[in-house]
Amino acid sequence: MKADATATELRKTGISVVGDVPWGTHFCYFYQTQQDLLDTLVPYFKAGLENKEFCLWIISMSELLTVDEATAALRKALPNLGSYVDDGSIEIVPHDQWFLNGGVFDYHRVAREFKVKLDEVLAKGFAGMRVNGSPAWMQTKHAEELREFEAEVAQLFPNERIIASCTYPLAPMSGNQIFDIVHLHQFAIARRQGEWEVIETPELKEAKAEIKRLNDELEKKVEQRTRALKAEIAERKLAEEAVKRAENRIRLVIDTTPALIHTGRPDGYLDYFNQRWLKYVGLSLEEIKGWAWTNVIHPEDVEGMVNEWRAVIASGKPFQYEARVRRADGEYRWMLHHKVPLRDEEGDIVKWYGSSIDIEDRKRAEMQWRLLIDAIPQQIWSGPPDGSLDYCNERWRSYMGLGLQELRGDGWQAMLHPDDRDRVLKAWCESVATGTPYEQEERHRGADGGYRWFLSRGLPLRDAEGRIVRWYGTNTDIEHRKRADKEVEAANHQLRSLSGRLLHVQEEERRHLARELHDEIGQALTAAKINTDMLRSAAPSDLCERLNENATILDRVLQQTRQISLDLRPPVLDDLGLVAALRWYVDQQAKRAGLRARFSADSRADEASAPIQTACFRLAQEAITNAIRHAGATTLTVEVRQSDSSLSLVVQDDGVGFDVAKAEARAAQGASLGLIGIKERAALAGGRTRIVSSPGKGTTVEIHLPLHGVEPVAPVSGISQAAFPK
């Protein structure tokens, strides 16, 4: 269809010797002087602009013309050229901007660019595209690429809404070059000193003959269609008369129906109200039809009803609106107004049919209900199925200092705290879309400008078929609870800080005691042992036995003192670092418990800060102690690894394992503090803990600590540092 349409539609070229040509025409033009070039291209582009075609004039460096000269010449013929430039109807560009990309000519890319540009201008509403360019600059260095380029363009253009001319100066060209170029185009024209010459290809002559044949056939089809249309018009008149008779019968039925019924045209103009309507308002049809019906609507309801009706006319959706109507005796009564569209076979609206139902009694019942709701000391709201709000009680309105009109629709969203808005609206939209109950904690702005926390809940009310007919909800003030939660959180933070401080003081005390035992008491016991050994060698036999007993006691006390010192804080942790300390500790505990132990470590672990190394060592102690005491394991694996940001400790055993969830529940009740101790110590160092275990499958404790820990824990407010001896 596209090819036929473009082939039969002729376009004015503005070139007298060429006349009209079909879309897809690709011809060449040889010229001798600059004036010859302008005499041809200026009317060529003028005709294109005047016929709503997009024009692209590519000025080549091989031509006797510049961009400014081309623009000036075209402006003489078109004084309003500026308006065409402003609305994007024409572009005059140098050849390197169009043909070259980074100084490189790629004829495939250029051909694609023509197609892309054509699609772009067609989307903007142009009839097509008119192009002129001069590929002559390629004739010397890129002759083969020129032929390939012209051939590719010749294949692209025939079925597109584009007319393209290629201009070549005659002076530098040989006869063979001219023949090559003519062969690549549908036809060629030449202008020398004001004289025209035309060279047509056989294909063009055949195309013109085909166009003439098609136009003749088209004229015959138009004549036949005209006769058919006359017959259709006659049939339509008969159908219209039948429709009119049917409408008269429908109006008779409507007038005798005990309901307020009206009809309207597709544009919203109400053209008919039945007799019951006219009697109800005490007016004639002439006084109420069109848009005059708004005169009987309550002044407070008119604007909303008219705006909603106009929106429905545009969308074509059914209309439903509650508004008060003035009765003939002057009393306003609430009515529910319905309108539905009648469509033809093509889906176009041909008529609107509407009815109005008196709902005054229902509205009064609703008013009584709202008075009751307003008296309840709770924020209550409701709205239609679409999730908008049409009612909130006095309690909520007084809190925000706003009226119901300001809150209706989505006006209530303005009172949400900016930090809560996206979260709350997303949750509410999901509830409306899925029909699930809504519950969110959110902050609402009060009349004083301050925000308070509320627990907002919403529930859908459904009809017998399960359709949501209304949403009802409440807002409960939880500001005091949220403040209490913050106070608890602050207290927990203080407790955590206190725990960190206690651990820090405890570690310092351990360090101090270990040094005292190792340096002072250990040395004193060693000296006493040496003195005892010396006395034993010189003592009488009756004292020798006693001295031997003393030596044995001193050996045992000295050994215990050393072990206590190591348990408190092994010197190797301070002297050689974490890796050496853990290796020593794992070997020592494995020998004591009779376990097979494997230890591996990243030497970079010693680069962590001193507090992190201490925390890692203590966590390893606790995990290994738990495995020895409770797991019944035969193999123990300890690994320490360091990444760019954290230090990782993994302690794994092949013991009896346990149910982690149950163990955590017992720990929460105070039955076991092992898990809590490990997690708390890791958390105080800014780390995280993962424990994997199940009955009969062993246990893995995985801990990740930041390389440099958290900020040093300051003394908790209100607690003297003197309470923690050093």
Side-chain angles (χ1 to χ4, degrees):
M1 293 299 292
K2 181 179 179 182
D4 292 343
T6 56
T8 58
E9 183 179 351
L10 296 179
R11 309 297 294 182
K12 297 182 182 298
T13 63
I15 305 173
S16 59
V17 72
V18 175
D20 299 344
V21 297
W23 288 118
T25 299
H26 179 212
F27 67 96
C28 60
Y29 166 52
F30 298 96
Y31 63 92
Q32 192 166 39
T33 66
Q34 182 191 70
Q35 192 59 46
D36 289 337
L37 181 64
L38 293 175
D39 287 347
T40 303
L41 294 186
V42 168
Y44 171 72
F45 281 115
K46 181 174 181 292
L49 292 172
E50 290 175 345
N51 287 279
K52 297 182 179 180
E53 298 174 15
F54 171 76
C55 296
L56 176 63
W57 191 349
I58 306 170
I59 307 297
S60 174
M61 61 183 180
S62 64
E63 292 181 329
L64 310 175
L65 195 63
T66 66
V67 171
D68 291 340
E69 290 172 340
T71 303
L74 188 57
R75 193 181 302 279
K76 287 183 180 179
L78 278 171
N80 61 335
L81 177 63
S83 63
Y84 288 112
V85 173
D86 292 340
D87 65 15
S89 296
I90 184 169
E91 294 180 12
I92 304 176
V93 299
H95 91 283
D96 54 352
Q97 179 178 329
W98 185 265
F99 287 106
L100 303 179
N101 184 8
V104 177
F105 173 66
D106 181 352
Y107 66 86
H108 294 295
R109 178 190 63 78
V110 174
R112 288 195 301 271
E113 288 295 326
F114 279 123
K115 182 64 171 67
V116 169
K117 192 67 175 179
L118 175 61
D119 293 340
E120 178 184 319
V121 301
L122 290 177
K124 292 181 178 179
F126 288 97
M129 178 172 164
R130 181 170 298 215
V131 181
N132 179 79
S134 178
W137 61 275
M138 294 186 288
Q139 185 66 30
T140 302
K141 296 183 179 180
H142 307 277
E144 183 59 31
E145 288 188 344
L146 170 61
R147 286 190 290 273
E148 293 176 352
F149 170 68
E150 289 283 17
E152 181 153 335
V153 169
Q155 292 178 356
L156 170 68
F157 289 165
N159 294 326
E160 301 293 345
R161 300 181 72 84
I162 191 168
I163 298 172
S165 69
C166 300
T167 54
Y168 293 88
L170 282 169
M173 301 187 69
S174 65
N176 288 335
Q177 290 174 332
I178 292 175
F179 281 121
D180 284 345
I181 293 169
V182 170
H183 179 72
L184 294 170
H185 296 79
Q186 294 174 353
F187 65 89
I189 59 175
R191 187 174 176 86
R192 295 186 295 174
Q193 302 298 329
E195 297 296 327
W196 287 105
E197 296 181 16
V198 180
I199 304 172
E200 289 186 349
T201 62
E203 290 83 1
L204 179 63
K205 292 179 180 178
E206 291 177 4
K208 286 186 175 180
E210 179 65 13
I211 290 173
K212 185 177 184 305
R213 184 185 65 79
L214 291 174
N215 284 335
D216 290 342
E217 290 181 359
L218 181 61
E219 288 181 1
K220 291 180 180 179
K221 290 180 179 179
V222 169
E223 183 179 352
Q224 293 172 355
R225 182 57 181 161
T226 300
R227 290 195 297 268
L229 284 175
K230 289 181 179 179
E232 290 178 6
I233 291 172
E235 292 178 2
R236 185 174 298 174
K237 286 183 177 179
L238 294 175
E240 288 176 352
E241 291 177 358
V243 168
K244 189 173 182 179
R245 290 194 298 271
E247 286 182 346
N248 290 335
R249 288 194 295 270
I250 291 173
R251 288 191 176 183
L252 178 61
V253 172
I254 290 175
D255 280 339
T256 57
T257 299
L260 305 181
I261 298 175
H262 57 277
T263 65
R265 299 194 305 226
D267 61 359
Y269 182 97
L270 301 188
D271 56 1
Y272 178 74
F273 292 82
N274 70 344
Q275 290 299 316
R276 191 175 182 87
W277 239 112
L278 300 178
K279 183 178 180 181
Y280 184 89
V281 296
L283 297 172
S284 66
L285 179 60
E286 292 300 322
E287 293 175 306
I288 195 174
K289 72 177 182 179
W291 290 91
W293 57 269
T294 57
N295 295 327
V296 299
I297 304 299
H298 195 286
E300 295 178 1
D301 303 336
V302 170
E303 182 179 0
M305 187 173 183
V306 170
N307 291 339
E308 183 71 17
W309 174 224
R310 291 187 186 279
V312 165
I313 294 169
S315 66
K317 297 179 180 179
F319 171 82
Q320 179 173 306
Y321 198 84
E322 294 180 1
R324 287 163 286 185
V325 177
R326 188 183 65 233
R327 203 165 56 181
D329 60 3
E331 178 187 355
Y332 283 96
R333 293 181 65 85
W334 281 99
M335 287 201 173
L336 178 61
H337 305 273
H338 287 277
K339 292 184 180 67
V340 293
L342 175 66
R343 300 179 183 273
D344 59 18
E345 294 179 355
E346 286 74 29
D348 297 326
I349 295 176
V350 295
K351 201 75 173 176
W352 285 93
Y353 287 93
S355 65
S356 300
I357 302 172
D358 191 312
I359 57 171
E360 180 68 22
D361 294 337
R362 193 199 80 186
K363 294 296 286 187
R364 289 180 179 177
E366 287 182 359
M367 187 63 66
Q368 293 176 353
W369 174 81
R370 290 187 177 183
L371 290 174
L372 176 62
I373 293 299
D374 283 341
I376 296 176
Q378 176 83 0
Q379 292 185 2
I380 298 176
W381 53 269
S382 66
D386 63 4
S388 61
L389 183 146
D390 62 8
Y391 173 74
C392 59
N393 69 343
E394 176 60 27
R395 184 86 171 182
W396 197 11
R397 297 197 300 270
S398 62
Y399 168 76
M400 290 183 291
L402 298 173
L404 183 57
Q405 290 299 327
E406 297 172 284
L407 296 170
R408 273 182 171 169
D410 58 5
W412 60 273
Q413 298 173 11
M415 58 73 182
L416 290 171
H417 192 286
D419 294 342
D420 301 341
R421 180 181 176 87
D422 291 343
R423 169 180 59 83
V424 168
L425 295 184
K426 179 181 179 182
W428 176 234
C429 290
E430 288 177 355
S431 291
V432 172
T434 60
T436 54
Y438 169 82
E439 181 172 322
Q440 286 288 310
E441 291 184 355
E442 53 199 54
R443 284 167 288 185
H444 299 172
R445 188 182 64 242
D448 59 358
Y451 287 91
R452 293 181 67 86
W453 281 99
F454 288 85
L455 175 60
S456 182
R457 291 190 176 100
L459 288 172
L461 176 66
R462 300 177 184 272
D463 60 16
E465 285 75 30
R467 294 187 297 265
I468 296 176
V469 296
R470 197 158 187 80
W471 283 89
Y472 290 95
T474 62
N475 298 323
T476 304
D477 191 320
I478 58 171
E479 180 69 21
H480 294 302
R481 195 202 78 189
K482 295 294 284 187
R483 289 181 180 178
D485 290 345
K486 284 188 176 181
E487 290 174 0
V488 171
E489 184 180 351
N492 287 335
H493 178 72
Q494 281 196 332
L495 288 174
R496 192 177 293 273
S497 298
L498 178 60
S499 297
R501 180 63 180 168
L502 287 173
L503 284 175
H504 175 72
V505 171
Q506 184 186 57
E507 197 62 42
E508 289 300 313
E509 189 66 19
R510 283 171 174 263
R511 190 195 306 270
H512 174 71
L513 290 174
R515 288 178 179 172
E516 286 290 327
L517 288 171
H518 183 273
D519 297 342
E520 300 295 336
I521 299 176
Q523 291 179 13
L525 290 173
T526 300
K529 175 66 167 58
I530 293 171
N531 288 337
T532 301
D533 290 341
M534 292 175 63
L535 288 172
R536 186 172 53 181
S537 61
S541 58
D542 58 340
L543 292 177
C544 187
E545 184 177 352
R546 295 298 182 110
L547 290 173
N548 285 338
E549 291 178 0
N550 286 343
T552 301
I553 293 172
L554 287 172
D555 281 338
R556 186 166 62 252
V557 172
L558 183 58
Q559 183 62 32
Q560 290 175 344
T561 300
R562 288 174 178 168
Q563 188 59 50
I564 292 172
S565 175
L566 290 173
D567 289 342
L568 285 171
R569 185 175 179 87
V572 67
L573 180 60
D574 296 320
D575 298 337
L576 299 179
L578 176 63
V579 175
L582 281 177
R583 191 184 308 278
W584 165 82
Y585 184 77
V586 171
D587 290 343
Q588 184 190 55
Q589 295 301 314
K591 289 177 182 178
R592 284 184 181 180
L595 298 173
R596 292 191 304 274
R598 290 194 295 270
F599 175 76
S600 62
D602 186 341
S603 60
R604 295 186 301 162
D606 290 333
E607 298 174 4
S609 64
I612 291 301
Q613 291 192 43
T614 299
C616 184
F617 183 80
R618 293 304 182 198
L619 287 164
Q621 277 187 312
E622 292 191 39
I624 292 170
T625 300
N626 286 340
I628 292 173
R629 288 180 180 176
H630 308 296
T634 60
T635 301
L636 185 68
T637 302
V638 180
E639 295 182 0
V640 180
R641 295 288 180 265
Q642 178 184 318
S643 65
D644 292 339
S645 60
S646 66
L647 185 68
S648 299
L649 169 68
V650 178
V651 179
Q652 186 175 17
D653 67 66
D654 61 352
V656 297
F658 60 94
D659 188 313
V660 176
K662 291 182 179 179
E664 289 180 342
R666 290 196 302 272
Q669 296 173 359
S672 173
L673 299 179
L675 292 178
I676 292 179
I678 291 175
K679 291 186 175 181
E680 279 299 310
R681 185 181 285 274
L684 288 172
R688 64 184 188 278
T689 305
R690 178 171 174 261
I691 300 176
V692 179
S693 183
S694 59
K697 295 186 179 180
T699 301
T700 299
V701 178
E702 184 178 327
I703 300 169
H704 300 276
L705 302 172
L707 282 182
H708 301 290
V710 296
E711 291 296 323
V713 179
V716 179
S717 175
I719 301 177
S720 171
Q721 286 186 319
F724 304 96
K726 296 185 178 179

